[in-house]
Structures are given as C-alpha cells and as structure tokens.
Amino acid sequence: MDSPFGLLAELTYRCPLSCAYCSNPINMASYTDELSTDEWRRTLAEAAELGVLQAHLSGGEPLLRRDLVEIVDQAAGLGLYTNLVTSAIGFSRRTAERLREAGLDHVQVSIQADAPVLSDRIAGIPSFQRKIDAMRLVKELGWPLTVNVVLHRRNIDRIADVLRLAEEVGADRVELANTQYYGWAWKNRDALLPSREQLAQAEAVVREARERLSMDVLYVIPDYYSKYPKPCMGGWASRQLTVAPNGEVLPCPAAQSLPLPKASIREQELAEIWTDSPVMNAFRGTDWMPDPCRSCDRQELDFGGCRCQAFQLTGDASRTDPVCHLSGDHEVVAAAVAAAQQPVSLQLTPRPHRPQQA
C-alpha cells in the first residue's frame, strides 16, 4: 500500500451555479458544518506528512470560502502543489493577486459551453463573460490554465468551438470530461447521456485537435459506452483521497453515497484513517473481488471498476461495475445506452443555488 499523492480538498459544497450535471451530494444539509480555517490547516499538514504532493482545492465553489488565501498559503508553505478548481465566479483581480502571493500554482476554470447563451443556460446564471475574463486574468498573472468542460447531450456537439475558445484564451490544457452520473447528474441521466452518433463526431474532433494543437487535450468518454470500466481513482484508496467540507475522509468524491462506516478528520488523524479505517480498506486491493473480476486478468488494471457506480446501478457496492461487458448486471447500462439513441425531450432538474459566504 502506497501513500496517497493527491488530496482533493472540497472546501465547500456551496456554489453560485446550478448545473444539472453536478456530481456533488444531493443531501446538502449534511455538509453545512464546514471545517474551520485551523482544521483545514491541520488537515493539510497531516496530508503533507502522509506523503501527499498535490492539493486540489475544489467544491462547490472554493472562492466562497473567505479563508481561501490562508488555506492556499498553508498548503504552499508545506510544499504542496496547489490547484484551484473554480467556476471563476468571484475570481476578481484583487483575489487573484492575493492567491498568487500566497503561492497558488495552477488554476482550472470550468465553462459550460463556448456560446454565451448556452453556457449561461446550463450554468443557471449569467456567467460566461466572467469566466472568459477570469481565464485571461489567469494567463496575465502567469499561471498555467486548464479549461474544464463537462460534456453531455446538450453541449457535446460544440467540442470544436470549445477547443477554439480554449485556444483563444491561451489555455495550456483542456479537459473534455463526459458527465459522471452521481448526485444531481444521476437524477438527470436520461436527459444528459449523449448518443453514439454524438460521441463518434466528438471523438473525430478530438483526434484532429490533438494532432493540430500544442495544448494538452484530455478527453474522457462516458463510462456507459466503455467495454471495460475505468480504474476508479487508480484503485480504491491507493493513490488519492478526498476530504469533504464537513471533514469526512473518503477514497473518492462520490463515496459518501456508500453504506460504509464514516471517518472524520475531526475525530482521527489522517494517517490513521488512511491506513486503518474501514472506509479506506473496504475495497482496497483485489481480495474483496467477486467473479468475474476475481478470475479476470484485468483485475489490477481496472480494479473491478467504480464502487460508487456499482452501488448506484445495482444496490451492491461489491459487485462488478455494470459498465463492464462481462458484468452480470451489464443489461442496466445497455438499456440506458439504448434509450440514449432516441430523441430526448426531458426537462433537466437544476442543482439548487448555494451561494452564501462562510
């Protein structure tokens, strides 16, 4: 068992946007008692001692934390590489300059589409121009910039234009990541899952862009269209860990949905949780695997797939991820994919706004 190298610090689940594909928990009431500044300082110190090298500061919208600069300063002082994952709402010049002085290393800005009207409609508020202004400010202040776009049925046809926009703002990297169906995205899956035709067109655009562009282009297809499942987080509690806004420690951002014992940074040290807690050991390694995973030569490539997805689709987190074509539950995924080939007129259920300051 190796030490984790990445920490996803979910500073808050509050967010000014209401994206219908949001994968954050639906039960927001469980996460209103957020860690204090001192608790995050201690968490980051214990993470660095454990061996963590990267701190990804996310949410929700991390800029809603009034102490974000202090948190970045602590992480940078510990020698952690810091990455701000933001919608850019609230990313003013003054805030940006303070974050740069604190030692922030990288900024990832999300955008919903290349066209202002569509982007604002998906985000739920007028935000497109503020995102563009923030991207230009990131480059002006000398940071590396990643542009992130969550793809789904409503925007995947615009990948070429999204890439053009990323090129115009000087992005160093662009992430084209198809929706992961947890949280609010699960509620909206039938209206968001793209068709095979859409995916084929998108993949052709991405291939051409990778040959033409100097920036790094990451493209993640929907799990539902894969022959084999993704190696979730590089293996359960193997490389990365997540700390939720209320201090809950998890092997991945979606694991709060699983019926497993809770572990909290408020009650235990991070090293103890990583090594000994039931939540971290529940699916660590390969001994827990049932067939067909147990006898499969891919067991250490995809680790049985996503435990959260297995639970979401079957009610049993220990089953083979139904995305896998060898899974006995694969028909539930096949049925969703078949439905996605038909025209969809379903209305989306937006995530509620949670914009309050801490």
Side-chain angles (χ1 to χ4, degrees):
M1 182 182 63
D2 297 325
S3 296
F5 67 79
L7 166 66
L8 177 62
E10 297 185 316
L11 303 182
T12 181
Y13 284 146
R14 291 171 290 120
C15 184
L17 306 186
S18 58
C19 305
Y21 56 75
C22 183
S23 60
N24 282 344
I26 291 175
N27 178 22
M28 296 291 291
S30 298
Y31 301 93
T32 56
D33 183 16
E34 296 176 1
L35 295 180
S36 67
T37 308
D38 286 342
E39 286 174 320
W40 274 116
R41 285 195 181 108
R42 179 173 60 82
T43 299
L44 290 165
E46 291 183 13
E49 186 175 352
L50 184 58
V52 166
L53 302 174
Q54 303 170 355
H56 303 276
L57 308 174
S58 182
E61 176 46 65
L63 287 167
L64 289 173
R65 290 281 305 213
R66 295 183 186 275
D67 57 357
L68 179 60
V69 172
E70 289 82 358
I71 290 171
V72 169
D73 182 71
Q74 170 74 352
L78 292 164
L80 300 177
Y81 183 88
T82 51
N83 173 34
L84 178 65
V85 182
T86 177
S87 70
I89 306 303
F91 193 75
S92 65
R93 178 174 290 275
R94 178 175 180 273
T95 297
E97 289 176 346
R98 292 181 65 210
L99 288 169
R100 186 180 60 173
E101 291 172 5
L104 183 67
D105 293 302
H106 182 275
V107 180
Q108 174 179 310
V109 177
S110 67
I111 195 164
Q112 283 65 36
D114 66 289
V117 173
L118 178 59
S119 183
D120 291 349
R121 184 185 307 134
I122 295 171
I125 63 169
S127 55
F128 177 85
Q129 191 57 51
R130 282 182 281 180
K131 291 171 178 287
I132 300 300
D133 293 343
M135 292 177 194
R136 290 178 174 145
L137 179 57
V138 167
K139 296 305 296 182
E140 177 188 333
L141 295 180
W143 276 304
L145 169 65
T146 293
V147 173
N148 172 269
V149 185
V150 178
L151 300 174
H152 46 81
R153 194 179 189 95
R154 309 297 174 100
N155 67 359
I156 195 170
D157 298 327
R158 303 192 64 87
I159 281 185
D161 299 296
V162 166
L163 287 166
R164 190 175 302 113
L165 175 64
E167 193 176 12
E168 288 174 359
V169 298
D172 301 279
R173 184 170 184 265
V174 59
E175 291 183 356
L176 304 168
N178 272 277
T179 300
Q180 300 296 316
Y181 293 103
Y182 311 111
W184 290 97
W186 170 252
K187 292 176 70 71
N188 288 299
R189 186 194 68 178
D190 293 343
L192 292 173
L193 189 63
S195 68
R196 290 190 186 278
E197 182 180 359
Q198 287 181 302
L199 287 175
Q201 293 172 352
E203 288 167 3
V205 171
V206 169
R207 282 195 301 271
E208 185 277 332
R210 284 173 171 165
E211 295 175 357
R212 177 176 56 85
L213 299 176
S214 58
M215 64 182 173
D216 183 23
V217 178
L218 173 67
Y219 176 69
V220 181
I221 69 171
D223 286 3
Y224 284 43
Y225 284 91
S226 297
K227 183 177 181 180
Y228 297 105
K230 66 178 181 293
C232 188
M233 308 302 291
W236 182 273
S238 173
R239 301 179 182 180
Q240 303 187 54
L241 75 163
T242 296
V243 178
N246 63 351
E248 188 176 345
V249 183
L250 303 161
C252 78
Q256 76 279 341
S257 64
L258 302 183
L260 294 172
K262 306 298 184 185
S264 174
I265 195 69
R266 285 171 163 158
E267 299 170 2
Q268 294 175 275
E269 293 186 356
L270 196 60
E272 181 183 359
I273 294 172
W274 175 256
T275 303
D276 299 326
S277 68
V279 69
M280 290 296 173
N281 285 296
F283 303 108
R284 187 175 256 155
T286 59
D287 290 345
W288 62 270
M289 290 182 177
D291 279 325
C293 296
R294 180 177 293 277
S295 55
C296 182
D297 59 6
R298 292 181 56 86
Q299 66 171 235
E300 294 191 11
L301 295 177
D302 55 40
F303 304 99
C306 177
R307 299 300 87 223
C308 303
Q309 190 155 259
F311 180 73
Q312 186 88 74
L313 293 171
T314 74
D316 183 352
S318 67
R319 294 183 70 82
T320 298
D321 188 338
V323 161
C324 183
H325 75 291
L326 300 174
S327 166
D329 302 303
H330 184 65
E331 69 274 4
V332 299
V333 171
V337 168
Q341 311 319 306
Q342 306 302 317
V344 173
S345 59
L346 297 173
Q347 294 297 311
L348 295 170
T349 302
R351 177 188 190 273
H353 293 278
R354 303 284 182 180
Q356 295 84 6
Q357 288 278 359

